[in-house]
Amino acid sequence: MGRTISETLKSTTEIFWKKDIESPRVEAELLLGHILNLKRTELYLDSQRVLSSEQEERLKRLVEKRLKGKPLQYVIGETEFFGLKFKVDSRALIPRPETEILVSKVIEYFKKEKKESDHLKIIDIGTGAGNIAIALAYHLKNSFIYAIDISSEALSLAKENAEINKLEDRIEFLCGDLFASLEGKNLEQKIDAVVSNPPYVKKEEKDILPKEVRDFEPGVALFVKEGLYQKIIDQSVMFLKKGNGILVLETGFNQAQKVRKIIEAKTEFASTEIIKDLAGIERVVFAIKR
Ligand SMILES: C[S@@+](CC[C@H](N)C(=O)[O-])C[C@H]1O[C@@H](n2cnc3c(N)ncnc32)[C@H](O)[C@@H]1O
């Protein structure tokens, strides 16, 4: 007789706990839920169900991968962002919950301006798995997004995610450095929002990153090249609409004030705002073009 869901959860949690996995119970629930195709709460409603030997075998393989340090989302191969499903693998960064703040701010702004149903044009620089672009396209029903990345691998994953979420007709994926791939598209002064969650970890901070981030997520998505924010801000000016185009940038720990200063040094922007995440960290810089 095989083990029940309840017994399996208990022993998997113990294995993770002994190996110092940060949230052992939650990770055990997510892994088992993935294998059984059940939501976390459903595991408890069906706690006496017995696992088949095939399910036990799959769980064992996934637990082994996790114990080797592979992030849970890569082990499972998917994650949730802004209530939507995303495929994730080593081609792109795992979407982080704090990036949902940027997405909320953009949607909230266009709702407040009563423009959420307009034919908005949005540029997402460094789209990665496509999470920001796809979440915006989903919630701003008539928008069109130009999703750009320097990594063709990340873009191939982003395209798959657009198809999974049935939004491929409303997003154009472009490969290139910052805004370069938009040349000749006649988008100057026509963009309602430029959004970006660029790489923002300094190379010298590599050693303080958690091992599972440093060893498994793509370096091009993590490590910033000097002057990247300045370049995004400078080049965004050319594309944003006069009067109400918005620039919304995610920043790393202790970086928001510096980024705000770069924006405020430019006469093209009328106002700026900093939004904190749930941990009280300044996370997003928001600016409106004059
Ligand atoms: C921090 S990740 C963000 C991914 C995704 N937008 C998110 O929020 O989860 C940064 C992304 O920027 C891309 N990138 C880095 N340098 C770039 C550049 N010069 N031009 C365009 N994209 C770049 C990386 O390949 C990576 O996918």
Side-chain angles (χ1 to χ4, degrees), residues 62-250:
L62 298 190
V63 168
E64 275 166 11
K65 284 188 187 167
R66 182 67 187 103
L67 294 181
K68 284 187 183 142
K70 195 171 198 176
L72 182 80
Q73 295 88 335
Y74 285 164
V75 171
I76 291 176
E78 63 181 33
T79 195
E80 233 186 67
F81 179 83
F82 221 80
L84 300 172
K85 254 207 180 131
F86 288 87
K87 180 173 174 181
V88 284
D89 58 40
S90 57
R91 285 176 287 175
L93 191 92
I94 298 165
R96 305 293 205 267
E98 56 267 28
T99 303
E100 293 178 348
I101 295 168
L102 180 155
V103 174
S104 308
K105 180 66 193 175
V106 176
I107 296 170
E108 185 195 296
Y109 172 79
F110 286 124
K111 279 202 171 147
K112 200 179 85 207
E113 296 290 306
K114 303 206 183 328
K115 284 191 189 163
E116 76 265 32
S117 306
D118 286 7
H119 290 271
L120 300 165
K121 287 195 175 76
I122 298 173
I123 298 173
D124 175 22
I125 298 286
T127 199
N131 44 312
I132 296 177
I134 291 166
L136 289 176
Y138 184 87
H139 287 278
L140 300 168
K141 297 289 176 211
N142 292 314
S143 61
F144 190 87
I145 323 284
Y146 299 89
I148 301 169
D149 209 288
I150 203 161
S151 155
S152 55
E153 288 201 317
L155 282 172
S156 69
L157 177 62
K159 279 181 200 161
E160 288 172 34
N161 278 322
E163 279 162 22
I164 290 169
N165 287 289
K166 302 194 172 27
L167 287 164
E168 66 273 26
D169 296 343
R170 305 237 324 277
I171 306 175
E172 183 172 352
F173 292 96
L174 298 154
C175 193
D177 184 11
L178 303 181
F179 297 82
S181 56
L182 296 174
E183 214 187 306
K185 288 196 174 288
N186 194 23
L187 291 173
E188 288 77 4
Q189 315 280 328
K190 294 199 178 117
I191 296 295
D192 297 280
V194 170
V195 300
S196 184
N197 172 21
Y200 52 63
V201 181
K202 295 199 184 91
K203 271 263 163 63
E204 53 278 20
E205 290 170 346
K206 186 173 181 182
D207 293 338
I208 56 169
L209 283 179
K211 198 171 153 10
E212 58 185 64
V213 175
R214 192 178 63 217
D215 292 353
F216 288 91
E217 298 199 73
V220 66
L222 295 170
F223 301 112
V224 61
K225 284 199 184 128
E226 190 59 36
L228 187 66
Y229 279 108
Q230 179 85 54
K231 279 191 194 158
I232 297 174
I233 294 162
D234 288 348
Q235 294 179 32
S236 71
V237 169
M238 193 161 72
F239 290 94
L240 286 172
K241 274 185 184 165
K242 279 192 186 146
N244 54 16
I246 57 170
L247 172 63
V248 195
L249 302 174
E250 181 168 329

